Amino acid sequence: MTGGVRGTFEGSLAKWGFRVQVVVIGAGYLGTTHAACMAQIGHSVLGIDISEEKVAKLQSGEVPFFEPGLEALLREHVASGRLRFSTSFEEAAAFGDVHFLAVGTPQSTRGRAGDVSCVNAAIDSLSPHLARPTVIAGKSTVPVGTARRLAERVQAAAPAREAVEVAWNPEFLREGFAVEGTLRPDRIVVGAGDRPEGRAIELLREVYSLILAEGVPFLVTDLETAELVKVAANAFLATKVGFINAIAELCEAAGADVAMLADAIGRDERIGRQYLNAGLGFGGGCLPKDIRALVARAEELGVGDAFAFLREVDNGNMRQRSRVVDISREICGSLIGTNVAILGAAFKPDTDDVRDSPALSVAGQLQLQGANVSIYDPKAMDNARKTMPTLDYAVTSLDACRGADIVLVLTEWKEFQNIQPGDLGAVTQTKNIVDARNCLDSRQWRAAGWTYRGLGRS
Ligand code: UDX
């Protein structure tokens, strides 16, 4: 997959042989992927993070989280010298032709708004050292209006003053596909201020030229539009999931099948099949906090009423988690003292990320209601254990299911889809399974004597 993309780039690189000095501030899922991919398309890259520990790990070629294909890319470019990491903002300012801002903007601890304190801190650490013309390109998801405010902040503090430009270049990275998505995106969006002499657009075109040469559209907007593109895209995706989950409830009540329905409506190009998988709903470090931040910002700007539907999407999504708890209680009669096996802790497959994980939320609710919960995930065990230390962590999926009264599949890892009903039935107490991601073959499980429940499936 990535190999094909890499092959193409190497060819063009040899032909064009240019190099921009790129700084990426923030070495989380987004920043580390962006830094490695910038090196992959030929640039000299300096990754910056305030954590000495993280920087040391990355510098030794180790990615502190799981993302397919990323560690190999990181190692290759750390070894080649094209990519290095540091904690020094002074070094960053001296090095960077462009500074990508990729720090986290989590949900505020007091309310629903996006917390931009890390963005402000990064700008405040960098600005006093910026003595030469440069571009700061924000990638973090921020409340609309942040970029313009940051431009004033940086220009007031930087020795280079107006020669520091702020642009916004939102990231649409999907965990599990981060490398591929960064090297072969659907589009590149760049928002820039209104200075006619500005060279942010030109420089970013240069930075992305190898990717653009593959035919990827480059969309130029103003700063505010670029900021909103990201949250609007995420709000739309969340709404799509919310919609299909509402239809799933209707399907269940009416004896219809939501998966077949999604296949049928998805054939309409205006609708599309992607993001119509009904189930436990969305979680992760982006969708939930982004829709809340959008609503909060809309309220601040006096247009909150237009987003009543998005609040309902959020509520409906949370209801999916309670529904799975209710279904489990319904099947078992009571949750008190019931042995529940949970397969999946990550918020989706192919990641070890458990931020706002629907699976962990269900696990916690079941435990609080008196169930004995044993859980297994192929990659997210360490992160899950840190978040919810009181659950019982098993070493394999079969181990988690030993003696279980009910098995819940909460993340659709391939490994779980490959489990044979007979093998699982040999270790559980009772053959009850809730397929909260609709990822199993219901006929196969029922034929093997299991009580099977999907979401929205007859
Ligand atoms: C998302 C966006 O896809 C990405 O463009 C943006 O930059 C960040 O947020 P990510 O959080 O990595 O990316 O995950 P994604 O694959 O979009 O899934 C989000 C959640 O929605 C997961 O919990 C997933 O299980 C759920 N989902 C997705 C569904 O429940 N049904 C679907 O059909 C699709």
Side-chain angles (χ1 to χ4, degrees), residues 172-175 275-277 282-283 286 347-348 437:
F172 305 101
L173 173 148
R174 271 164 74 206
E175 288 175 30
Y275 251 77
L276 283 183
N277 294 325
F282 58 82
C286 287
F347 82 98
K348 66 172 195 178
R437 292 293 182 181

Side-chain angles (χ1 to χ4, degrees), residues 10-74:
E10 289 303 335
S12 315
L13 205 55
K15 196 169 71 193
W16 295 357
F18 65 87
R19 202 172 267 205
V20 176
Q21 297 196 171
V22 170
V23 168
V24 181
I25 301 172
Y29 287 92
L30 168 59
T32 307
T33 307
H34 192 66
C37 290
M38 289 297 100
Q40 174 65 18
I41 56 171
H43 303 304
S44 262
V45 184
L46 175 63
I48 299 287
D49 201 280
I50 52 171
S51 159
E52 305 253 358
E53 192 192 334
K54 210 185 259 182
V55 162
K57 263 195 182 150
L58 290 163
Q59 193 57 47
S60 71
E62 194 187 326
V63 176
F65 51 86
F66 174 69
E67 179 61 46
L70 182 56
E71 194 156 279
L73 206 60
L74 179 94

Side-chain angles (χ1 to χ4, degrees), residues 99-312:
H99 296 81
F100 286 103
L101 211 52
V103 296
T105 51
Q107 186 177 336
S108 157
T109 47
R110 295 171 184 218
R112 287 171 297 162
D115 176 356
V116 291
S117 55
C118 291
V119 174
N120 291 339
I123 286 291
D124 292 345
S125 304
L126 180 69
S127 303
H129 305 293
L130 290 174
R132 67 182 179 97
T134 190
V135 171
I136 296 178
K139 296 200 85 63
S140 310
T141 307
V142 291
V144 58
T146 303
R148 210 164 278 277
R149 183 180 57 70
L150 288 180
E152 285 167 19
R153 196 170 174 130
V154 71
Q155 285 164 2
R161 302 281 165 197
E162 270 73 34
V164 182
E165 269 183 80
V166 173
W168 221 256
N169 171 217
E171 185 64 65
F172 305 101
L173 173 148
R174 271 164 74 206
E175 288 175 30
F177 303 90
V179 171
E180 176 69 7
T182 306
L183 291 176
R184 208 202 289 262
D186 299 329
R187 73 294 206 193
I188 291 173
V189 176
V190 178
D194 26 33
R195 288 172 39 200
E197 79 285 10
R199 74 171 295 261
I201 300 292
E202 190 194 324
L203 182 65
L204 286 165
R205 240 188 239 284
E206 207 172 304
V207 167
Y208 289 118
S209 52
L210 282 190
I211 293 174
L212 298 178
E214 306 280 308
V216 172
F218 187 79
L219 308 176
V220 176
T221 71
D222 51 80
L223 288 171
E224 288 75 14
T225 304
E227 290 171 312
L228 274 180
V229 163
K230 171 63 188 288
V231 279
N234 279 357
F236 187 81
L237 293 174
T239 305
K240 217 172 164 187
V241 175
F243 168 81
I244 201 66
N245 281 338
I247 295 289
E249 248 184 281
L250 180 59
C251 283
E252 233 169 270
D257 186 295
V258 73
M260 285 194 242
L261 180 146
D263 288 344
I265 63 171
R267 289 279 173 175
D268 183 331
E269 276 183 14
R270 293 168 303 172
I271 297 174
R273 178 63 179 85
Q274 286 192 51
Y275 251 77
L276 283 183
N277 294 325
L280 187 50
F282 58 82
C286 287
L287 256 48
K289 64 117 178 149
D290 285 356
I291 60 171
R292 288 169 200 156
L294 188 155
V295 172
R297 190 68 182 126
E299 282 167 359
E300 280 170 12
L301 295 173
V303 293
D305 288 353
F307 290 95
F309 79 94
L310 209 49
R311 271 179 241 129
E312 199 35 56

